[in-house]
Amino acid sequence: MKSSLAAGTILISALALPCSAHEAPDHEHAELVPIPEYHLPFGEAGAAASLQAAEAFLASLDEAIRSQIMFDLDAEERAGWSNLPAGSFPRAGISVGELSDDQRKLLFDFLASSLSEEGYRRVKAVMAAEAYLNGLRSSAARRKIAPEYYWISFYGTLSATSPWGWQFGGHHLGLNLSLESNRVTAMSPSFVGTEPTVFTHNGVEYESVVDMHRAGHALYAALNTAQQAAARGRFRVGPGEVRTGPGRDGYIPETIGLSAAEMTARQKALLLAAIDRWVSIQPSENAVRRMAELEADLDRLYFAWSGSDKINRRAYMRIQGPTLIIELVSTGGDLGHYHTIYRNPTSEYGGLGP
């Protein structure tokens, strides 16, 4: 499969990508939030349901559009994702705002079939935050901050046997899931962020990423004084940005923090609970397996933390081991603002991507 679409400059570091790019079209702002409730038209979420839902969505598109959103498995476009607003970064695929109502329904059916209910809830909250910002800031239209500006693209040949993958994202979101032999194999790399964190939009209350922050701080609070000092390391205040975000494929930061081998059984359980906030975005068929892998190798993980449990204050967390990097940054501010990243350095894009 081939496409003339491409992505452009990457946040944090520049990559040499194809020169053509899918600039964000101008959409007339529509009330797309709340997005549809979690709905499983093809049975339990997982690889089999994801494949059926993807085929139904693609069948609703004409051939020209399908050619714009389907790419080779190792296409450079796959690494061309970002957490920046659409006005700052061109993306591959087709945006939510370019779809008809029926096509949008099929897209959300696909996302529900491809994520856990918790993962779908996180997508809902990120898109709701965009709608909230759109009504709050006059610059939103210029920066193209709105729920319409999220893109879907597919990689490889959709099949129950061949490897394939999909990407959905926009401002503060970049999900990359890989599948092979009719099972989900990886969710790396994936980015979840938000601004604001706690808000009400159209009468619906949302909390986004706050539970991830609190899960990390719960472990830090359970450490003794010496362990807390080890977890803080040299940080008085942590980095202002995740170090392994978009554009940093293949980068492995130095290991910092407290070894899980030095933790009590209760502390290890809290570490696993924090990790699960990210792993559980995936369907349970892979999340359960992934958590078992990490638990079996738990003593090789390290935990670093700086900051408090306050959602409008700066904080930083890193959980890192041979097959895992999780980072969380809270930059604070009146609304609260988070960036987080989940990676398996040994299986980026399922190990079969760019």
Side-chain angles (χ1 to χ4, degrees):
M1 286 173 243
K2 235 173 153 175
S3 173
S4 61
L5 301 180
T9 323
I10 304 293
L11 177 63
I12 303 176
S13 70
L15 297 178
L17 293 178
C19 59
S20 62
H22 189 178
E23 301 290 347
D26 289 320
H27 296 313
E28 183 177 342
H29 182 53
E31 291 297 334
L32 302 178
V33 170
I35 68 174
E37 291 300 314
Y38 191 64
H39 171 60
L40 297 174
F42 300 99
E44 184 179 358
S50 183
L51 176 59
Q52 292 181 70
E55 289 174 339
F57 171 66
L58 290 168
S60 74
L61 307 174
D62 64 35
E63 185 176 350
I65 295 298
R66 284 197 299 272
S67 71
Q68 293 178 352
I69 69 172
M70 301 182 74
F71 298 85
D72 291 337
L73 191 65
D74 60 354
E76 289 181 308
E77 286 85 353
R78 199 171 184 185
W81 60 278
S82 172
N83 64 295
L84 289 173
S88 304
F89 192 93
R91 287 172 168 88
I94 189 169
S95 65
V96 172
E98 294 171 86
L99 301 174
S100 69
D101 289 345
D102 288 342
Q103 290 166 343
R104 274 196 290 269
K105 178 187 178 301
L106 290 168
L107 171 61
F108 288 120
D109 282 351
F110 167 74
L111 292 174
S113 297
S114 305
L115 300 170
S116 68
E117 186 169 4
E118 176 65 16
Y120 189 82
R121 182 189 67 79
R122 293 196 185 280
V123 172
K124 287 182 66 173
V126 172
M127 295 182 73
E130 293 295 279
Y132 182 91
L133 287 179
N134 185 274
L136 182 68
R137 293 178 177 167
S138 60
S139 62
R142 173 178 53 81
R143 300 182 68 200
K144 299 188 176 178
I145 292 176
E148 294 92 326
Y149 296 108
Y150 285 80
W151 273 260
I152 182 72
S153 53
F154 295 90
Y155 300 86
T157 301
L158 276 61
S159 164
T161 56
S162 302
W164 64 282
W166 60 271
Q167 183 178 100
F168 182 75
H171 187 210
H172 282 146
L173 185 69
L175 299 179
N176 286 285
L177 271 77
S178 301
L179 305 90
E180 186 175 6
S181 300
N182 212 32
R183 71 179 182 90
V184 177
T185 57
M187 190 191 74
S188 179
S190 283
F191 183 105
V192 178
T194 192
E195 184 190 19
T197 56
V198 180
F199 61 99
T200 300
H201 181 73
N202 286 348
V204 180
E205 296 181 353
Y206 295 91
E207 272 197 10
S208 187
V209 187
V210 174
D211 64 310
M212 294 169 156
H213 183 148
R214 289 176 175 156
H217 188 267
L219 171 55
Y220 179 75
L223 303 178
N224 64 36
T225 301
Q227 288 175 316
Q228 287 185 345
R232 287 194 307 273
R234 66 176 185 274
F235 290 135
R236 186 177 65 83
V237 177
E241 180 56 279
V242 295
R243 299 188 63 195
T244 59
R248 300 289 275 176
D249 294 349
Y251 171 69
I252 307 294
E254 63 180 322
T255 301
I256 57 174
L258 173 69
S259 169
E262 316 246 339
M263 295 182 184
T264 67
R266 176 173 175 268
Q267 291 164 349
K268 289 180 179 181
L270 289 170
L271 175 59
L272 285 168
I275 293 169
D276 188 61
R277 293 300 195 280
W278 282 266
V279 173
S280 64
I281 292 171
Q282 308 165 88
S284 62
E285 70 177 16
N286 190 51
V288 171
R289 182 172 57 249
R290 178 68 172 135
M291 289 301 299
E293 291 172 357
L294 291 167
E295 185 173 8
D297 207 24
L298 196 64
D299 284 353
R300 299 177 71 190
L301 295 182
Y302 284 77
F303 170 76
W305 178 275
S306 69
S308 73
D309 62 345
K310 304 298 183 184
I311 63 175
N312 61 346
R313 302 283 178 82
R314 284 192 62 176
Y316 178 75
M317 180 182 75
R318 189 189 305 168
I319 301 171
Q320 183 173 347
T323 69
L324 179 69
I325 300 173
I326 289 173
E327 291 185 274
L328 175 147
V329 166
S330 170
T331 59
D334 293 340
L335 298 177
H337 191 164
Y338 285 103
H339 290 178
T340 83
I341 187 77
Y342 167 92
R343 287 184 182 269
N344 177 349
T346 68
S347 189
E348 297 280 65
Y349 310 101
L352 297 166

